[in-house]
Amino acid sequence: MKPEEVKRMEEEEDEEFVGLNVDTNLLEVVQVLFKTEPEVEVFYDGFLDRVQNDKRLRKNTDDRKRMNSAFLDELLKYHDLDTINNALNGVSSEENLVIGEEERDVDRILRKTFSNKMEFRMFMTYISQFMMEDKDSPVEAAAKSMKRLGKSDKETLQITSVIDKIF
């Protein structure tokens, strides 16, 4: 996948730009760190602007160390160093997931709120329905589902706060 700017720069005869001389593992990290196509495009646009504005980068594309450094600098505009290192090393980013003590709390809340598996399945079905039909966010859909199941405001708040942490 090459942005249009890269293709244009490669086709220019007066430029010595042959392509992105960046380590492949750095290029692969972009797909891990940026989840949507527009985010990827914005990142590459910023990097290509940097390459165009820095004559040394533009004319010396064979200097992989310099290109890697510029690429990492651009990544640092969007993510912190730990996140980039985790992505490079294949460590999954679980910052949005509940862990440890919180996980036990979630389990306790779910067991206390829903009397049986069928009630929990109905809750999940309602969430899916509200998200698909009404285009609600997960938290809004959870709140509506809890109301439909006749749950108290306290239970609704507990469940929606858990879902808010996840999403």
Side-chain angles (χ1 to χ4, degrees):
M1 174 186 74
K2 290 186 181 179
E4 292 300 316
E5 189 70 20
V6 172
K7 291 176 185 175
R8 185 186 61 71
M9 289 177 75
E10 286 177 343
E11 293 170 359
E12 288 181 5
E13 295 176 351
D14 61 332
E15 293 291 332
E16 296 175 14
F17 191 84
V18 178
L20 293 177
N21 188 9
V22 178
D23 288 336
T24 54
N25 57 350
L26 286 176
L27 293 173
E28 292 169 0
V29 164
V30 171
Q31 299 303 319
V32 173
L33 294 175
F34 301 102
K35 303 299 183 205
T36 64
E37 189 66 29
E39 290 175 329
V40 172
E41 288 178 17
V42 166
F43 169 76
Y44 277 117
D45 286 346
F47 179 67
L48 291 172
D49 284 343
R50 181 184 203 116
V51 170
Q52 280 183 322
N53 293 330
D54 187 340
K55 188 175 181 178
R56 282 180 270 159
L57 284 176
R58 188 175 65 242
K59 296 292 182 182
N60 298 315
T61 57
D62 57 335
D63 189 352
R64 181 168 270 202
K65 186 176 179 181
R66 183 175 281 152
M67 290 294 281
N68 286 344
S69 176
F71 198 82
L72 280 171
D73 285 345
E74 192 66 27
L75 278 174
L76 285 169
K77 289 181 181 177
Y78 301 95
H79 296 284
D80 62 55
L81 191 57
D82 290 334
T83 304
I84 295 169
N85 279 333
N86 287 342
L88 280 169
N89 296 326
V91 177
S92 65
S93 174
E94 296 182 358
E95 60 189 331
N96 291 333
L97 299 179
V98 289
I99 54 173
E101 188 71 32
E102 290 179 329
E103 187 174 344
R104 281 177 273 192
D105 289 342
V106 169
D107 187 46
R108 182 184 50 79
I109 290 169
L110 290 175
R111 290 182 188 279
K112 193 171 95 174
T113 304
F114 300 105
S115 59
N116 57 38
K117 290 180 183 179
M118 194 60 182
E119 188 177 37
F120 181 72
R121 286 184 187 140
M122 287 304 299
F123 170 71
M124 296 305 292
T125 302
Y126 289 145
I127 285 180
S128 299
Q129 178 183 357
F130 290 130
M131 287 177 69
M132 288 178 8
E133 291 176 2
D134 299 341
K135 308 282 190 249
D136 287 338
S137 72
V139 174
E140 292 171 328
K144 285 182 179 178
S145 300
M146 293 293 286
K147 290 298 177 192
R148 183 172 276 182
L149 290 171
K151 299 295 179 181
S152 70
D153 288 341
K154 180 182 176 186
E155 291 171 321
T156 301
L157 183 60
Q158 288 177 329
I159 293 296
T160 54
S161 69
V162 168
I163 290 177
D164 189 42
K165 286 180 186 176
I166 295 171
F167 293 97

